[in-house]
Amino acid sequence: MNQAETKGIILFRKDHKEKDMLVKIFTESSGKLMFYVKGAHRKNNPLTPAILPYTQATYIGKLNNEGLSFLNSAKYIYPFTHIQEDIFAAGYATYIMNLADAAIEDKVYDPHLYTFLYQALEMLDQGIEGQILTNIFEVQILQRFGITINWRECAVCGRTQGKFDFSSKYNGILCQQHWDRDFHRYHADPRAVHFIRLFSHISYDKIHSIELKEETKSAIRQTIDQLYEEYVGLNLKT
């Protein structure tokens, strides 16, 4: 391809040789691409601010369908400064970006996932509760791993109100009246299942009003971990 420009989010970067760098960018127009940045460690390199971790910018360069792409310049650089400065926000951000990286192949056009990732990082950068943002991302990105779960209603009777538990056997939730249908159901905290059901369809702009007790957040974390261990099997360092 000829030189093009696209919005992008830095996913990760690693040194290459002595002065160069390989930078993986989730681009809005072409999916995830690995860029070769010559002289990345050179003093006063104008690209330095644009390739810092936790940064979005408009990147200009040669976007190749095969092999490495090449970055020439950048504009409209937007660093997520709070994430860059806060170790806990950075931890959540790194995990979310690693999930997005694992969920689709390189060079796959996915503007919806790009926007979803940007929204998560933007809200993290605003100081919004990191665990809730992460839980929403985890639950909604499951479909990218080919996993479709019925969070809407009881898999047996269609009930939508009351206490629920998750059942692998039914690939969805069971109301309390039908818990006896699956002895190996998760036996999850009903409050955790309630919020996971909410997280499965809520948009990020609606979460400002959500406040959870620590014990509820812990129960949600435990249930989502169980889901990922059973269905996804990822072992991300973050």
Side-chain angles (χ1 to χ4, degrees):
M1 294 178 62
N2 293 324
Q3 184 162 287
E5 67 176 59
T6 178
K7 287 183 180 179
I9 297 169
I10 300 294
L11 291 179
F12 71 84
R13 60 190 205 158
K14 60 182 179 180
D15 292 340
H16 182 72
K17 299 182 180 179
E18 186 177 343
K19 297 181 179 179
D20 306 333
M21 188 175 287
L22 296 176
V23 182
K24 194 167 195 178
I25 302 177
F26 191 166
T27 70
E28 186 177 40
S29 66
S30 303
K32 301 179 302 170
L33 298 175
M34 186 69 80
F35 287 84
Y36 181 81
V37 184
K38 188 174 179 60
H41 292 293
R42 191 178 69 243
K43 189 176 180 180
N44 298 324
N45 187 326
L47 279 172
T48 296
I51 58 174
L52 289 174
Y54 317 115
T55 299
Q56 180 188 254
T58 296
Y59 297 96
I60 303 165
K62 188 178 181 184
L63 312 184
N64 292 326
N65 292 324
E66 300 292 337
L68 296 174
S69 296
F70 296 89
L71 192 58
N72 296 328
S73 61
K75 59 183 180 180
Y76 310 129
I77 300 168
Y78 179 77
F80 297 105
T81 52
H82 172 68
I83 297 175
Q84 291 174 345
E85 295 169 356
D86 185 284
I87 189 172
F88 296 105
Y92 283 118
T94 302
Y95 175 65
I96 287 172
M97 290 190 294
N98 286 353
L99 270 182
D101 192 13
I104 59 170
E105 298 294 328
D106 291 351
K107 302 182 174 81
V108 174
Y109 175 65
D110 195 335
H112 178 76
L113 181 55
Y114 177 89
T115 299
F116 189 43
L117 175 60
Y118 173 76
Q119 289 173 336
L121 295 175
E122 185 178 40
M123 297 197 76
L124 263 176
D125 199 50
Q126 294 171 4
I128 306 298
E129 167 63 56
Q131 181 169 329
I132 293 175
L133 291 170
T134 301
N135 293 157
I136 292 171
F137 197 89
E138 289 174 302
V139 173
Q140 293 192 23
I141 206 175
L142 280 171
Q143 61 181 320
R144 291 302 199 292
F145 295 102
I147 299 160
T148 303
I149 292 174
N150 172 22
W151 296 109
R152 190 170 63 87
E153 61 189 16
C154 175
V156 175
C157 68
R159 190 186 302 269
T160 59
Q161 300 295 322
K163 293 183 178 180
F164 294 89
D165 196 3
F166 182 77
S167 167
S168 304
K169 177 181 177 181
Y170 289 92
N171 199 43
I173 54 173
L174 294 176
C175 69
Q176 191 171 12
Q177 285 72 18
H178 293 105
W179 283 354
D180 60 347
R181 295 290 188 96
D182 183 7
F183 178 76
H184 298 290
R185 61 187 171 84
Y186 274 23
H187 295 86
D189 187 325
R191 293 171 299 175
V193 178
H194 167 76
F195 282 105
I196 292 172
R197 293 179 67 204
L198 176 64
F199 293 166
S200 71
H201 65 269
I202 195 172
S203 59
Y204 274 133
D205 58 2
K206 304 292 185 184
I207 72 165
H208 293 276
S209 60
I210 297 179
E211 293 185 9
L212 301 179
K213 296 179 179 179
E214 287 301 320
E215 60 192 49
T216 302
K217 291 193 288 187
S218 178
I220 292 169
R221 176 75 273 148
Q222 181 178 351
T223 303
I224 292 178
D225 283 347
Q226 195 171 350
L227 280 168
Y228 265 75
E229 182 177 351
E230 178 176 1
Y231 282 88
V232 184
L234 279 178
N235 291 305
L236 300 176
K237 293 180 180 180
T238 46

